Amino acid sequence: MSWGRPAADAIAEVADGLGARRLFLVTSGTLNRRTDAIAAIRRRLGERVVGLFDECEEHSPQGSVLRAAGEIERAAPDLIVTIGGGSPIDTVKVAQIVLAEGILSVEELVRLRVTTNPDGSWNVPPSKPSPVRQIVLPTTLSAAEFSNIGGCTDRARQVKDLYVAKYSCAQAVILDPAITVHTPEWLWLSTGIRAVAHAVESICSRAPNPYVDANSAEGLRMLSASLRANKARPGDLDMRLQSQLGVWLASVGIGRVPWGASHGIGHQLGGVAGVPHGHTSCVMLPSVMRWNRAHVEAPLARIAQAFGEPGADAADLVQRLIAELGMPTRLADVKVGPEHYDRIAEASMQSPMVKANPRPITGPAQVKEILAMAQ
């Protein structure tokens, strides 16, 4: 973990420490073609860069993942450097499984997706270690860099599947607030709410963990203050770094405790209706908190305490933060309506996170109840 140092220098230092000499860059087309950030990193790394893939697509569709894997394989790097938000990071996570298993088709890839048992436990197909690892320089607050869980959208089924492999997570994470100034405000702030959702659903988990609770609460405290500062003073790099560090703490529950319906339904808002990753948490989290309330009263009280308003309604505090940041607060704001409910509900019932919700969700009708609350 590195933070507060110039990105290009930190990448070179980490690569040196890993003994890597052939670096393959994965990023977004926007960051590569509309800013000088990637060019500056390439200049610093020089001939060590053996290739670049900048065709990552939102929600990491299968085709994009397979194309990335093909480009990586042809370049034969010894390290992938991923620069960007959740979509590039997830693209590489799933591409590493593709490379490890020699996958050539969508049909082969789908067979390695995570499925769930009726009790919400995960069936994770085994996969070989990836032949090449990644280090990550995140440019959003989605926290994908802290997880070995990758989302990949099956456009034919309109479902966002999860893929898990032991070595798909980042070998190192580099936090540089300077490169994040290129991130559009809506994307930065909405993924900040995604990190808030990580903390909230960790604290409200049906299998809580005191270590996770303590870190999540501190992450919420940091994010509540720093995201408001990011909105007011977007050029304040110190506060942008505070948001990045808050994400680190808020997301410590990844892989340690089961999350719930805000994440599970949110994934399907992306797969079915194309809602951006961060916006899914903005429009779902408060309603899921309210729907779960009777089952998580004590955790919600801890969340209100972390926001500095003990005794207040935690869902209202989260919704107020979302509104103050100028983010969408209702499904209607992201062009999702009742006509989408059946497809979202059916897809959500395939999610291990929906099945692990602290208030049991046993069928699509309950998912539609939550969607109606969020409308």
Side-chain angles (χ1 to χ4, degrees):
M1 185 77 173
S2 167
W3 63 87
R5 298 194 60 239
D9 291 343
I11 291 169
E13 213 170 85
V14 170
D16 287 343
L18 295 171
R21 302 304 304 167
R22 295 177 58 82
L23 311 183
F24 189 96
L25 308 186
V26 176
T27 188
S28 68
T30 300
L31 196 59
N32 185 40
R33 301 169 208 166
R34 298 185 186 178
T35 80
D36 63 357
I38 304 303
I41 290 170
R42 294 192 73 165
R43 284 194 298 271
R44 173 67 175 82
L45 298 174
E47 293 181 357
R48 297 169 75 174
V49 177
V50 297
L52 179 144
F53 182 83
D54 69 352
E55 298 175 20
C56 299
E57 298 178 37
E58 192 172 23
H59 300 298
S60 311
Q62 294 160 333
S64 175
V65 168
L66 291 170
R67 287 194 302 275
E71 293 293 323
I72 293 166
E73 185 173 39
R74 280 187 285 276
D78 54 14
L79 186 67
I80 302 168
V81 180
T82 307
I83 307 161
S87 292
I89 297 168
D90 277 6
T91 294
V92 174
K93 288 178 188 175
V94 185
Q96 287 174 294
I97 296 173
V98 170
L99 293 168
E101 294 294 321
I103 291 169
L104 299 175
S105 68
V106 165
E107 291 74 23
E108 292 175 281
L109 178 58
V110 167
R111 287 199 288 271
L112 289 176
R113 74 188 190 276
V114 173
T115 57
T116 56
N117 298 310
D119 65 357
S121 59
W122 294 26
N123 292 313
V124 180
S127 65
K128 302 181 185 75
S130 171
V132 59
R133 298 288 302 277
Q134 69 168 323
I135 63 173
V136 175
L137 175 66
T139 59
T140 72
L141 299 171
S142 71
E145 62 273 14
F146 297 119
S147 162
N148 69 340
I149 304 168
C152 178
T153 298
D154 183 327
R155 285 179 168 163
R157 291 165 46 239
Q158 290 191 305
V159 172
K160 191 169 188 177
D161 292 316
L162 300 182
Y163 290 81
V164 175
K166 183 176 180 181
Y167 296 109
S168 64
C169 59
Q171 268 190 296
V173 175
I174 297 166
L175 303 180
D176 178 9
I179 199 171
T180 72
V181 299
H182 300 294
T183 304
E185 181 186 71
W186 73 267
L187 182 57
W188 179 260
L189 297 176
S190 68
T191 54
I193 297 300
R194 187 72 172 176
V196 168
H198 297 340
V200 167
E201 291 218 308
S202 292
I203 293 171
C204 293
S205 174
R206 69 176 187 179
N209 176 312
Y211 170 77
V212 169
D213 284 355
N215 282 280
S216 297
E218 179 62 11
L220 281 177
R221 185 193 66 77
M222 294 173 70
L223 287 166
S224 176
S226 64
L227 289 173
R228 289 181 167 99
N230 296 165
K231 175 71 173 176
R233 304 185 304 280
D236 186 334
L237 295 186
D238 288 338
M239 292 310 294
R240 293 179 84 87
L241 180 58
Q242 284 296 298
S243 290
Q244 291 181 302
L245 294 172
V247 169
W248 184 20
L249 295 177
S251 303
V252 77
I254 297 174
R256 289 186 170 93
V257 298
W259 287 341
S262 175
H263 280 83
I265 297 173
H267 287 151
Q268 306 318 323
L269 293 183
V272 171
V275 180
H277 203 55
H279 283 171
T280 65
S281 292
C282 295
V283 299
M284 289 310 307
L285 181 59
S287 293
V288 170
M289 293 169 73
R290 293 181 179 114
W291 195 81
N292 286 337
R293 182 177 283 133
H295 293 251
V296 289
E297 289 182 353
L300 291 177
R302 289 196 292 275
I303 290 166
Q305 182 84 30
F307 270 82
E309 298 193 39
D313 183 281
D316 289 349
L317 295 177
V318 171
Q319 188 145 24
R320 188 174 74 195
L321 173 61
I322 295 166
E324 287 179 12
L325 297 179
M327 294 296 102
T329 59
R330 314 297 303 175
L331 285 172
D333 298 336
V334 293
K335 298 181 172 55
V336 172
E339 68 275 15
H340 297 100
Y341 286 6
D342 285 339
R343 282 182 294 154
I344 292 169
E346 291 294 337
S348 294
M349 292 310 300
Q350 300 179 48
S351 166
M353 295 177 182
V354 167
K355 292 181 179 178
N357 193 62
R359 177 180 171 183
I361 295 176
T362 57
Q366 292 166 306
V367 175
K368 288 192 277 189
E369 281 181 27
I370 300 171
L371 292 170
M373 290 175 65
Q375 190 61 54

